[in-house]
Amino acid sequence: MKSIFSFFPVLLFLTGCSGGAAEKPAPYQDPSRPIEERVEDALSRMTLEEKVAVLHAQSKFSSAGVPRLGIPEVWCTDGPHGIRPEVLWDEWDQAGWTNDSCTAFPALTCLAATWNPRMSALYGKSIGEEARYREKDVLLGPGVNIYRTPLNGRNFEYMGEDPYLASRMVVPYVQEVQKNGVAACVKHFALNNQETRRMSVDVVVDDRALYEIYLPAFKAAVKEGGAWAVMGAYNKYKGQHCCHNEYLLNRILKGEWAFDGVVISDWGGVHDTEESIENGLDLEFGTWTDGLRAGTRNAYDNYYLAQPYLERLRTGEADVKTLDDKVRRVLRLIFRTAMNTQKPFGSLNSPEHLAAARRIAGEGMVLLKNDGGVLPLDASSTKRLLVVGENAVKMMTVGGGSSSLKVRHECTPLEGLRAAAEAAGCEVVFERGYVGDPTGSYNGVNTGQDLSETRSAEQLIADAVAAAEQADAVIFVGGLNKSDFQDCEGADRKQYGLPYAQDRVIEALAAANPRLTVVLVSGNAVAMPWLDRVPAVLEAWFSGSEAGNALADVVFGQVNPSGKLPFTFPVRLEDNGAHALGEFPGGDSVRYNESIFVGYRWHDTKAIKPLFAFGHGLSYTSFAYSNLRLSSEKLSQGGSLTLGVDITNTGDRAGAEVVQLYIGDDESLCMRPVKELKGFEKVLLEPGETQRVEFEITPEALSYYDDTKGRWVAEAGLFTAYVSAASDDIRLTGHFTLK
Ligand code: GLC
């Protein structure tokens, strides 16, 4: 006899009955329950095999869930600048999807150069929405490794040389990404400051430099940003690989900082089962690859945290307590992301994201030099504009390593300049000037550009010079690119100077036409032997899908540049601390002998004039600083004092200025830099407008890491506050004592 419900399935549906009372969801399935309760409930239901399975990859970019319990997999994606196109299950090569083009946001050096945490928030929100839409649970970014040397191939992916700037700029990015239910995975923890021998080099650095320079941005990302994931670096520290490192992961990250998230290995960064069990690794990816090329196919069961771990658990060699801590972290990640039912739905390639990319790029570009007001160009009174250089036409969103992208469209500098100029009646002509890297593909993504060239280098220069003599203004667009030994993962630069003999082209153009602007598309400092013969220089960075439009906005004055350098441009490589005193790239180990004297800290202390200083950036208007006031001349331990200063726009157009506060310890018992960045505020001012900016100064801002005591110390004595427009452009000073 069939039940009544067999005739009336709709009844069954409406009453919710399915052969018995409606089942209540188990706690781990119930989104109304606290995450920690769900973690414990899920953990209690998992078998040993299921626990081990969630601790390592099952494919190139995913790790297993618990199918039996309906706990989903974890899907990761590169990278810090945009959502990487889909690759094959077990290959780096393209999966050939047609729905995975993305918005390329500016490189993180450009974001840092905005010195505007609101831009970080906009960036994190936008890229987080794209990751969410692509249904990714972990974004493998941002990167915050400190800029130690101008030769590091991956500096373009990071936020510069100063720990305070990187700390302030990384927090909003992490917070906004994670509001999408996508984990930010801050990388590469830690001391990954070069690409040479990156998989094995043992970094030797003193505790002061570790705590004062190389860790702060990671600490801010974890403790203020609330990062749900951290990626271990490839290199070693104290002889242990950073992906399973007792000091960095157990003592500092999970101990001192109480990190409750997941430590994910870099791809191929795991080398030992015992260490990966005991030294803080939670999720193993990419083993047997070098992070860029193929490894052992389908080796997942043989991963260090796979069968070998299971065997040690079965023999009792490994304890379940350590296992459960790892599994809790992975479950917590899953409940925060894949099983988070509150997360928004994201969006991809939206006009809002393109607008965000353009705005961040325009605000990050740095006007390094502008003698005689060559910029902004007035397109309506410029009859013919000559644009020279391969970087005016070469797509930069493809290449560079794991941050390489497949964009729907990339507006190149020439395209953007031409669109804006011709709209104002200005003719734009182009000359190649030089040949750099005419190839255009990475990991199976092809730019489709034909950059082939038959003319000789001499002919290219001759043609560019001839055109320059006929032009009202000339813009040379050069710099570096995303090819090997340039701004690219996996190798470091071989020279500090511009590649492809660009210096010769620039010299020739400068001789042919005085109204020359050099635009650098790059992620690193470069030498400029031609600087005194070129009136205007603009650092345009790798600025993503809207690069050309953002460049045109600045060149033609729709945007008044307000970017400031996030790292120093030394005149010569030897003027950089790592090259003067430290080792680079070292051998099996690399000694950071320069210690805390990184970037401007070295230049200040050794009185070495930089080509362009950390924090330097010009505007189309000008600013005056006045009326510095300290709320007190005496600061007590546990107290604070306020420093106020007026900033006035003394020019004839609106503009934004970054007021920078550096502080120096004038009576220090130990070695300290002359001054260190301890505050900054970007203010937008109308012509003639004055705003007052205030900074709160606490003993914490005055402290250094006392490696004899293992803690931060602010020593009593005299301090100087330097209110500056750049690290080498001090406008006002104030003095106070710490009691
Ligand atoms: C790469 C990079 C890392 C990236 C990962 C996955 O080698 O070091 O930044 O997220 O592997 O592509």
Side-chain angles (χ1 to χ4, degrees):
M1 162 67 173
K2 285 199 168 217
S3 82
I4 183 172
F5 293 121
S6 58
F7 298 105
F8 304 99
V10 68
L11 266 180
L12 185 141
F13 169 76
L14 289 177
T15 56
C17 296
S18 50
E23 284 168 35
K24 274 173 61 63
Y28 77 91
Q29 296 167 317
D30 181 349
S32 69
R33 301 249 185 175
I35 281 190
E36 292 316 307
E37 207 181 296
R38 300 175 72 186
V39 166
E40 293 310 317
D41 180 50
L43 183 71
S44 69
R45 299 166 186 264
M46 290 166 71
T47 65
L48 200 65
E49 291 74 9
E50 288 167 339
K51 290 181 180 179
V52 169
V54 302
L55 302 182
H56 60 82
Q58 65 173 9
S59 77
K60 187 58 81 184
F61 280 100
S62 73
S63 54
V66 189
R68 176 179 64 86
L69 297 176
I71 294 176
E73 303 165 338
V74 174
W75 281 86
C76 303
T77 179
D78 285 316
H81 307 149
I83 308 310
R84 184 172 185 164
E86 208 65 23
V87 297
L88 295 172
W89 181 261
D90 189 37
E91 304 290 342
W92 294 111
D93 290 343
Q94 292 306 296
W97 289 14
T98 55
N99 64 344
D100 57 353
S101 298
C102 72
T103 304
F105 299 96
L108 293 193
T109 37
C110 181
L111 173 60
T114 68
W115 289 58
N116 186 347
R118 288 185 297 280
M119 288 301 105
S120 278
L122 175 62
Y123 197 119
K125 175 180 184 297
S126 306
I127 195 172
E129 288 168 348
E130 301 232 336
R132 172 68 191 99
Y133 185 83
R134 286 283 317 285
E135 299 190 332
K136 303 300 181 181
D137 306 304
V138 181
L139 175 68
L140 300 173
V144 287
N145 292 103
I146 288 295
Y147 187 110
R148 174 179 181 250
T149 161
L151 299 187
N152 176 21
R154 289 189 87 172
N155 278 329
F156 72 99
E157 290 186 58
Y158 307 145
M159 296 190 181
E161 74 185 30
D162 182 84
Y164 183 84
L165 175 65
S167 298
R168 292 304 100 229
M169 296 301 285
V170 71
V171 169
Y173 180 119
V174 169
Q175 291 170 333
E176 289 300 319
V177 164
Q178 297 189 160
K179 284 180 185 169
N180 289 283
V182 175
C185 181
V186 189
K187 66 188 187 182
H188 306 87
F189 190 68
L191 299 164
N192 181 186
N193 307 102
Q194 67 185 57
E195 292 300 283
T196 306
R197 282 182 290 281
R198 66 173 179 163
M199 309 292 282
S200 61
V201 70
D202 189 9
V203 174
V204 181
V205 63
D206 61 293
D207 280 356
R208 285 201 60 197
L210 176 69
Y211 278 88
E212 293 182 32
I213 304 294
Y214 296 102
L215 291 184
F218 289 101
K219 182 175 182 180
V222 165
K223 291 185 73 75
E224 296 173 58
W228 293 338
V230 167
M231 184 188 290
Y234 281 128
N235 52 280
K236 290 177 186 170
Y237 170 63
K238 289 187 184 295
Q240 284 180 354
H241 280 98
C242 291
C243 289
H244 31 80
N245 189 291
E246 166 65 18
Y247 308 94
L248 293 175
L249 300 181
N250 282 348
R251 290 191 201 174
I252 296 174
L253 178 64
K254 295 180 176 180
E256 291 174 29
W257 301 349
F259 175 63
D260 74 352
V262 175
V263 173
I264 297 179
S265 76
D266 200 340
W267 269 237
V270 182
H271 303 275
D272 181 279
T273 287
E274 177 65 24
E275 284 196 12
S276 53
I277 294 169
E278 300 304 333
N279 293 354
L281 176 67
D282 301 307
L283 198 39
E284 176 185 358
F285 273 98
T287 294
W288 296 302
T289 74
D290 64 0
L292 289 174
R293 278 165 288 278
T296 310
R297 287 174 60 83
N298 286 319
Y300 305 110
D301 285 344
N302 302 321
Y303 270 32
Y304 296 97
L305 286 184
Q307 284 305 332
Y309 190 17
L310 194 55
E311 276 142 39
R312 286 167 185 260
L313 287 160
R314 285 182 176 142
T315 63
E317 237 181 300
D319 66 65
V320 172
K321 182 171 173 295
T322 304
L323 169 71
D324 285 352
D325 177 67
K326 299 179 195 292
V327 177
R328 281 193 180 90
R329 292 171 184 272
V330 174
L331 288 170
R332 194 171 295 133
L333 173 69
I334 292 173
F335 290 128
R336 285 169 164 167
T337 58
M339 287 182 82
N340 170 356
T341 55
Q342 304 305 311
K343 61 190 177 184
F345 297 102
S347 55
L348 188 67
N349 294 315
S350 62
E352 292 80 7
H353 291 170
L354 278 178
R358 181 169 181 166
R359 182 173 170 202
I360 295 163
E363 199 170 316
M365 291 185 185
V366 182
L367 182 58
L368 296 174
K369 182 179 181 184
N370 190 24
D371 287 358
V374 167
L375 293 180
L377 287 183
D378 175 357
S380 57
S381 65
T382 303
K383 296 254 174 308
R384 174 181 296 174
L385 171 63
L386 169 66
V387 177
V388 180
E390 182 174 281
N391 280 8
V393 296
K394 181 177 174 64
M395 283 175 64
M396 294 292 180
T397 54
V398 173
S402 58
S403 62
S404 180
L405 297 170
K406 176 170 78 174
V407 294
R408 172 158 294 183
H409 175 69
E410 179 177 349
C411 177
T412 61
L414 179 62
E415 194 180 324
L417 290 168
R418 178 164 276 158
E422 290 180 349
C426 166
E427 179 197 9
V428 175
V429 293
F430 171 71
E431 280 293 341
R432 180 70 170 267
Y434 68 94
V435 174
D437 179 355
T439 66
S441 74
Y442 181 80
N443 243 172
V445 174
N446 299 303
T447 62
Q449 293 188 299
D450 175 7
L451 296 179
S452 60
E453 176 58 62
T454 55
R455 289 172 289 176
S456 69
E458 305 314 312
Q459 189 58 53
L460 286 168
I461 293 176
D463 292 351
V465 166
E469 287 162 351
Q470 306 302 319
D472 298 311
V474 181
I475 297 179
F476 174 84
V477 185
L480 304 174
N481 58 31
K482 299 289 190 72
S483 307
D484 288 344
F485 309 108
Q486 302 296 329
D487 283 325
C488 183
E489 175 181 347
D492 292 321
R493 292 167 64 198
K494 292 181 171 176
Q495 61 182 55
Y496 180 51
L498 287 171
Y500 316 127
Q502 291 176 66
D503 292 342
R504 283 186 55 213
V505 187
I506 294 168
E507 298 275 5
L509 291 172
N513 191 319
R515 287 173 56 76
L516 170 65
T517 296
V518 168
V519 173
L520 295 173
V521 172
S522 65
N524 253 317
V526 295
M528 303 184 199
W530 33 262
L531 185 61
D532 55 8
R533 292 181 287 292
V534 172
V537 182
L538 179 70
E539 173 61 63
W541 309 115
F542 296 116
S543 38
S545 294
E546 285 290 273
N549 287 329
L551 178 62
D553 290 343
V554 170
V555 164
F556 296 116
Q558 277 68 31
V559 166
N560 184 355
S562 62
K564 300 278 185 179
L565 288 180
F567 50 76
T568 307
F569 277 56
V571 172
R572 310 167 305 133
L573 208 49
E574 301 68 43
D575 291 351
N576 165 284
H579 292 265
L581 190 58
E583 287 179 342
F584 175 82
D588 293 338
S589 69
V590 59
R591 312 183 71 80
Y592 290 10
N593 299 324
E594 75 282 6
S595 181
I596 57 177
F597 298 98
V598 172
Y600 71 90
R601 288 170 165 83
W602 174 261
H603 282 261
D604 282 354
T605 305
K606 294 291 182 183
I608 299 171
K609 186 170 173 10
L611 188 64
F612 292 107
F614 172 80
H616 170 76
L618 302 177
S619 170
Y620 294 148
T621 184
S622 53
F623 301 97
Y625 292 62
S626 61
N627 199 10
L628 186 154
R629 290 277 180 283
L630 286 166
S631 59
S632 164
E633 309 275 302
K634 291 190 180 353
L635 174 61
S636 58
Q637 296 285 358
S640 73
L641 61 81
T642 301
L643 181 149
V645 64
D646 287 344
I647 172 86
T648 304
N649 179 344
T650 52
D652 57 7
R653 62 169 291 170
E657 170 71 328
V658 179
V659 181
Q660 301 163 40
L661 171 65
Y662 297 81
I663 295 180
D665 183 346
D666 302 332
E667 296 176 330
S668 166
L669 297 177
C670 64
M671 290 275 282
R672 295 195 75 178
V674 169
K675 64 182 187 292
E676 297 177 285
L677 182 71
K678 295 297 178 183
F680 62 88
E681 178 82 27
K682 189 165 205 175
V683 284
L684 178 60
L685 297 166
E686 292 303 319
E689 183 187 359
T690 295
Q691 278 186 32
R692 187 154 186 80
V693 173
E694 294 197 337
F695 298 101
E696 190 187 7
I697 298 174
T698 63
E700 183 199 14
L702 314 180
S703 57
Y704 68 92
Y705 185 77
D706 183 334
D707 47 4
T708 62
K709 298 189 176 82
R711 61 185 173 82
W712 291 85
V713 169
E715 57 185 350
L718 187 61
F719 288 83
T720 299
Y722 302 88
V723 175
S724 308
S727 62
D728 70 341
D729 184 359
I730 297 166
R731 299 297 179 90
L732 297 167
T733 56
H735 305 281
F736 60 95
T737 55
L738 172 65
K739 287 190 297 191

